[in-house]
Amino acid sequence: MVIVPRIAVVSCLSTTPFIYGIRHEGNLRAELSLSAPSEITRLFADGLADLALIPAAAYPTLKEARLVTEYCVGGVPKSLSALLACDDPLVEAWKPYGKLPCAFGLWVARPEVEPETVEALQYALTYGLERGYEAILESPFADDPGRAYEGLAHFDYIFDNQKDKALKKFWDSGLKVAPRTNPG
């Protein structure tokens, strides 16, 4: 039983709405840790985080992880070509699957996390996504909030069946990708 969940998230533009929701939605009392992608994976694997937004490529390596929430960090079809043009090794590995929807970050929970906690997280994430501009204004990206808010349009936050199928195909391919340490 988890009383105050420990949540680990990468601090970058794409996660700004999630961080805002976790910090401001009143029903989720949690300890929030912001780290690099490889550190998030390690925190979860070592049992130091109860819930985490992990790199999707790391999911098959985490025995204790179960997918939770209807959210992820993915690319929208109109920006997929821009995402696939970058030189990030997680993104680079997705190039052969370029026509498929992509999810780069997934929400996972440890087995002992209660359904009520996951539900509170889901509500907090929704809260943050509904307040994207407010999230930007409170973030490190507030220097140019208009541009940062436009940047959020390059992400798709719904983890749907298409992304699930695409990820399973990706994982079944056997590609091993180490997440970058600096999320940019």
Side-chain angles (χ1 to χ4, degrees):
M1 177 168 101
V2 176
I3 305 298
V4 176
R6 299 163 298 173
I7 301 174
V9 181
V10 174
S11 179
C12 60
L13 176 62
S14 63
T15 62
T16 299
F18 291 153
I19 294 167
Y20 182 85
I22 292 166
R23 286 182 171 160
H24 292 285
E25 198 288 309
N27 292 320
L28 179 65
R29 191 174 58 123
E31 182 182 312
L32 184 60
S33 174
L34 304 176
S35 300
S38 59
E39 182 67 8
I40 299 295
T41 302
R42 187 195 63 75
L43 288 171
F44 189 85
D46 292 349
L48 300 174
D50 304 304
L51 297 145
L53 181 64
I54 62 163
Y59 177 72
T61 67
L62 298 171
K63 305 279 186 260
E64 296 289 313
R66 63 182 169 100
L67 292 175
V68 294
T69 85
E70 64 185 37
Y71 296 119
C72 69
V73 175
V76 296
K78 68 181 178 188
S79 68
L80 194 54
S81 59
L83 287 170
L84 295 176
C86 84
D87 61 357
D88 183 286
L90 176 50
V91 178
E92 178 72 28
W94 196 266
K95 285 185 180 182
Y97 305 95
K99 300 242 185 249
L100 297 173
C102 54
F104 298 111
L106 303 172
W107 282 101
V108 295
R110 302 191 67 72
E112 63 272 14
V113 174
E114 296 182 1
E116 295 82 16
T117 302
V118 172
E119 186 177 327
L121 174 65
Q122 172 78 22
Y123 190 77
L125 300 177
T126 301
Y127 182 90
L129 288 170
E130 289 174 346
R131 291 159 181 82
Y133 196 74
E134 291 93 334
I136 292 294
L137 293 177
E138 190 177 288
S139 77
F141 308 100
D143 289 345
D144 190 352
R147 184 174 176 174
Y149 188 70
E150 286 176 18
L152 289 181
H154 292 283
F155 299 98
D156 176 15
Y157 294 99
I158 303 298
F159 187 64
D160 57 18
N161 287 335
Q162 289 183 336
K163 287 186 192 78
D164 184 45
K165 288 178 186 177
L167 275 176
K168 286 177 180 165
K169 186 174 183 177
F170 177 73
W171 293 327
D172 289 343
S173 73
L175 286 174
K176 303 292 183 223
V177 179
R180 64 183 172 158
T181 57
N182 179 2

